[in-house]
Amino acid sequence: MSDQLTISAEPRERAGKGASRALRREGRIPAVIYGDKKDPVTIHVEERALNKLLGTGVFMNSLVMVDVNGDVTRTLPKDVAFDPVSDRALHVDFFRLAKGAKVQVNIPVVFINEEESPGLKRGGVLNVVRFELDLMCDADKIPDQIEIDVTGLEIGDSIHISHVTLPEGSESSITDRDFTIAGVTAPSALKSSEDEAEEGEGEEGEEGEEGAEGEAAEGGDAEGGSED
């Protein structure tokens, strides 16, 4: 399960672009807590503390307890706006979680036991279609990652969502199709050799046909001569 993170915050007394710029000059980042059918609460957090959480790599998929002067709210980060030039955080949206809530999150995929895949051992390539899975999870049971075992996979085999056992409390947000997550494909060198072999077989077949036609023609001439 993803770690539970905590960040301290203070209420924002003023809104607007000017007030937000002033906060950023002081090393604070404007933010808002919303959801659970309650009024939104405008806050600001310390930039260094936010950057520390962003540096964990799991910020967007973790429960974040936002402590506003001792009033703690359980949230899930929904969006972080960044400056397109400096890449500095500009604003954060925290979604307030109700008790027993389910949340939609993107969970990274990790492939294990690649050494047990005959296809990969032969030089096949693991072609990953989805590096993350879009899941609905219990807010208290958000997984860090989804492990997918590739043991036994041959070249040409694919892994679909129906092949994956998801953790308790998690289910795919995509329910209308059995989508592909990854597959083992032939290496380009093997494909080239197979293509050349097929072309060679085709050329031999054409030569054989031409030879047969020639023999038939000669036979026809010979027969015609005997009749004369």
Side-chain angles (χ1 to χ4, degrees):
M1 176 180 168
S2 295
D3 294 333
Q4 180 174 288
L5 308 177
T6 302
I7 192 167
S8 297
E10 296 180 13
R12 258 195 292 165
E13 297 179 357
R14 294 184 300 127
K17 293 182 179 179
S20 294
R21 283 195 293 266
L23 284 171
R24 295 188 193 104
R25 285 195 295 268
E26 297 172 2
R28 310 288 298 185
I29 304 301
V32 63
I33 302 173
Y34 70 99
D36 194 22
K37 300 179 181 179
K38 297 178 182 178
D39 293 335
V41 177
T42 54
I43 57 174
H44 56 91
V45 299
E46 184 183 20
E47 184 173 11
R48 286 187 300 177
L50 176 62
N51 287 339
K52 185 176 180 180
L53 297 188
L54 290 171
T56 63
V58 296
F59 179 68
M60 298 302 294
N61 292 327
S62 298
L63 293 179
V64 178
M65 309 302 287
V66 182
D67 185 343
V68 185
N69 293 336
D71 184 7
V72 180
T73 303
R74 189 177 68 153
T75 74
L76 182 74
K78 294 301 288 184
D79 185 57
V80 181
F82 294 95
D83 185 284
V85 177
S86 66
D87 209 28
R88 179 188 182 188
L90 300 176
H91 191 276
V92 187
D93 290 349
F94 293 100
F95 182 73
R96 187 187 290 113
L97 295 175
K99 186 176 181 180
K102 293 185 77 72
V103 293
Q104 186 172 0
V105 288
N106 291 318
I107 305 298
V109 172
V110 175
F111 297 92
I112 61 173
N113 295 329
E114 293 186 21
E115 68 280 2
E116 300 299 327
S117 164
L120 296 178
K121 279 185 175 181
R122 289 177 55 205
V125 178
L126 185 62
N127 180 31
V128 181
V129 179
R130 292 177 180 265
F131 291 90
E132 295 181 326
L133 295 183
D134 186 352
L135 304 180
M136 291 295 296
C137 305
D138 292 344
D140 294 325
K141 297 179 180 178
I142 302 174
D144 291 320
Q145 60 190 28
I146 302 298
E147 292 188 349
I148 297 180
D149 193 341
V150 299
T151 298
L153 289 188
E154 298 279 2
I155 291 175
D157 289 346
S158 297
I159 304 168
H160 296 83
I161 186 62
S162 60
H163 302 149
V164 180
T165 301
L166 296 174
E168 182 182 355
S170 298
E171 58 187 20
S172 175
S173 298
I174 302 172
T175 59
D176 61 342
R177 61 189 184 279
D178 189 18
F179 58 84
T180 302
I181 299 171
V184 178
T185 60
S188 55
L190 181 58
K191 289 180 180 177
S192 298
S193 63
E194 289 176 349
D195 291 342
E196 289 174 1
E198 289 177 1
E199 289 176 3
E201 290 175 2
E203 290 173 359
E204 289 176 5
E206 290 173 2
E207 290 176 359
E209 290 175 3
E210 289 175 359
E213 290 175 358
E215 291 174 2
E218 290 176 2
D221 292 342
E223 290 174 2
S226 61
E227 289 175 0
D228 291 341

